[in-house]
Amino acid sequence: HYDAISNGHSIAQLLVEVGEWDQAEAKYEEVSLLRKTVYGKNSIAVAKTVNDYAVVLAKHGRMDASLSQYSEARKIFQVLQKNEKASSTQDNDNDIMSKYDFDVTLIDLNMASIKSKNGDYDGAITFYQQGVTGLKRHIEREQKTEILNENMKLSTQKRHLVSAIGRIGSLKMKMGDNAGALDAYLTLLHEVNEDSPTSSMMEKAKAHVKCATIYRQSPVIEDADHAISHLEKAFHMYTRLHGPNHKDTQAIASSLRQWKLQGSEAYDYDS
C-alpha cells in the first residue's frame, strides 16, 4: 500500500507537469482513496494529499477546481481539530487546537487569494479575515515560547499577517468601502514596527498613502490634516526605503507640496 501510494503520487505529479489533467486527476483520486483506506477518511495523510493537489491546481490556473480541493482539505483539518479536542483530557485546549489551526489558516489565505483573482471580493474578504484571525491567534501562541524574535517561522507569520490585512484594505477600496479600507490600513500600521522585515515596511508605506488618499476624499474638514500627516509619513518611509530620487518618492513629495499649499490657501481664505 505504502509503495503504491508513493508511486501514485509521483505519477500524478508527472502527469500534471505534462498537462495530462484528466489522467492526473484520476491518479490523485486514486492516491486519496488509497490513503483513506490505509489511514482513514479524516486523516492528516488524506488532508495533506488533497491540499497538495489544490496547490498544484492553483499553480496551473485551474482556480475553481483548486477551490474545491482546498474546501475539502479544510473540512478534514477541522474534523481533525474537533476529534483532537474531544479526546483531550486537558483543561486548556489551546495546544490541541494549534496542531491543525495553522493548516486551516493557510488554506483560508489561499482560498482568499483565489477568490480575489476570480472577482469574488466578498468571499475573498471573508477568507482573508478568517486568515487574519488565525494568524493572530497563532502568533500569540508562538510569542509565549522562549524563542520570540529569533523564531524565523514567527517572522514569516507576521509578514503573512501584514500582507493579508493589506489585501483586505485593497479589496474594500475596490468595493467602494472607504471606511472599511481605512480601518484595515490603520490596523496594518499598528502591526508593523521597526523590527519588521523590509517587505512589511513597504506595506506600511503604501498603507500610509492609502490612508492619505481616503482622508483626502473625506468631506470632514479635519481629515485634510490627517491626509497630510499620513502622506508625510509615507514620504519619509519611501525616502528611506527607495531613496529621494525614486519616482514614487518624488510623486509623493509633489503631492505633499500641493496638498500643503492648498491647505494653506484654504486657511487664508477662511480667516
Side-chain angles (χ1 to χ4, degrees), residues 55 91 95 118 143 154 218 228:
V55 172
D91 293 331
D95 291 337
N118 284 351
Q143 287 177 327
L154 181 60
S218 170
I228 290 174

Side-chain angles (χ1 to χ4, degrees), residues 45-68:
V46 173
K48 287 188 176 296
T49 299
V50 177
N51 185 75
D52 289 347
Y53 187 32
V55 172
V56 169
L57 288 166
K59 283 182 178 178
H60 288 80
R62 294 169 64 91
M63 299 305 183
D64 290 338
S66 178
L67 274 177
S68 177

Side-chain angles (χ1 to χ4, degrees), residues 80-132:
L80 289 168
Q81 283 179 325
K82 185 178 178 181
N83 291 344
E84 286 285 324
K85 184 177 179 181
S87 62
S88 172
T89 58
Q90 300 177 29
D91 293 331
N92 188 341
D93 64 348
N94 283 341
D95 291 337
I96 296 165
M97 292 302 291
S98 71
K99 187 172 182 181
Y100 302 110
D101 193 35
F102 194 59
D103 293 294
V104 174
T105 295
L106 289 180
I107 289 174
D108 284 341
L109 294 173
N110 285 328
M111 291 182 72
S113 177
I114 294 174
K115 284 178 177 290
S116 176
K117 290 174 183 175
N118 284 351
D120 179 8
Y121 295 157
D122 281 324
I125 288 171
T126 296
F127 276 95
Y128 272 127
Q129 288 172 332
Q130 290 174 183
V132 165

Side-chain angles (χ1 to χ4, degrees), residues 205-225:
K206 292 176 184 177
H208 274 304
V209 174
K210 297 294 187 181
C211 288
T213 302
I214 294 169
Y215 277 126
R216 179 75 172 170
Q217 296 171 353
S218 170
V220 179
I221 295 174
E222 292 79 5
D223 283 347
D225 291 335

Side-chain angles (χ1 to χ4, degrees), residues 38-259:
V38 174
Y39 302 106
K41 178 181 177 181
N42 294 314
S43 63
I44 186 66
V46 173
K48 287 188 176 296
T49 299
V50 177
N51 185 75
D52 289 347
Y53 187 32
V55 172
V56 169
L57 288 166
K59 283 182 178 178
H60 288 80
R62 294 169 64 91
M63 299 305 183
D64 290 338
S66 178
L67 274 177
S68 177
Q69 294 298 315
Y70 273 130
S71 181
E72 183 180 345
R74 190 179 194 278
K75 289 175 183 176
I76 297 172
F77 278 122
Q78 287 181 315
V79 170
L80 289 168
Q81 283 179 325
K82 185 178 178 181
N83 291 344
E84 286 285 324
K85 184 177 179 181
S87 62
S88 172
T89 58
Q90 300 177 29
D91 293 331
N92 188 341
D93 64 348
N94 283 341
D95 291 337
I96 296 165
M97 292 302 291
S98 71
K99 187 172 182 181
Y100 302 110
D101 193 35
F102 194 59
D103 293 294
V104 174
T105 295
L106 289 180
I107 289 174
D108 284 341
L109 294 173
N110 285 328
M111 291 182 72
S113 177
I114 294 174
K115 284 178 177 290
S116 176
K117 290 174 183 175
N118 284 351
D120 179 8
Y121 295 157
D122 281 324
I125 288 171
T126 296
F127 276 95
Y128 272 127
Q129 288 172 332
Q130 290 174 183
V132 165
T133 299
L135 283 169
K136 284 184 175 180
R137 197 163 54 236
H138 201 76
I139 288 169
E140 183 180 350
R141 280 195 294 264
E142 290 286 318
Q143 287 177 327
K144 291 177 181 177
T145 67
E146 298 295 326
I147 304 174
L148 291 179
N149 291 332
E150 298 300 317
N151 193 331
M152 186 64 70
K153 185 169 144 185
L154 181 60
S155 177
T156 300
Q157 290 160 6
K158 287 182 176 179
R159 191 174 69 249
H160 285 322
L161 174 63
V162 170
S163 178
I165 295 171
R167 289 298 299 147
I168 291 171
S170 176
L171 290 170
K172 283 184 176 288
M173 280 194 79
K174 284 184 179 181
M175 296 175 68
D177 180 7
N178 279 3
L182 181 62
D183 182 61
Y185 287 126
L186 291 174
T187 300
L188 188 156
L189 296 178
H190 177 73
E191 292 291 341
V192 181
N193 55 42
E194 291 302 317
D195 296 326
S196 298
T198 301
S199 60
S200 294
M201 297 297 284
M202 291 176 69
E203 290 272 6
K204 183 174 183 176
K206 292 176 184 177
H208 274 304
V209 174
K210 297 294 187 181
C211 288
T213 302
I214 294 169
Y215 277 126
R216 179 75 172 170
Q217 296 171 353
S218 170
V220 179
I221 295 174
E222 292 79 5
D223 283 347
D225 291 335
H226 293 312
I228 290 174
S229 175
H230 278 286
L231 202 61
E232 282 181 329
K233 291 173 181 175
F235 170 69
H236 291 306
M237 290 195 72
Y238 269 84
T239 300
R240 185 172 60 174
L241 291 166
H242 301 294
N245 297 321
H246 190 276
K247 60 182 179 64
D248 291 339
T249 307
Q250 293 185 342
I252 291 171
S254 176
S255 295
L256 187 57
R257 286 192 298 270
Q258 183 181 352
W259 290 12

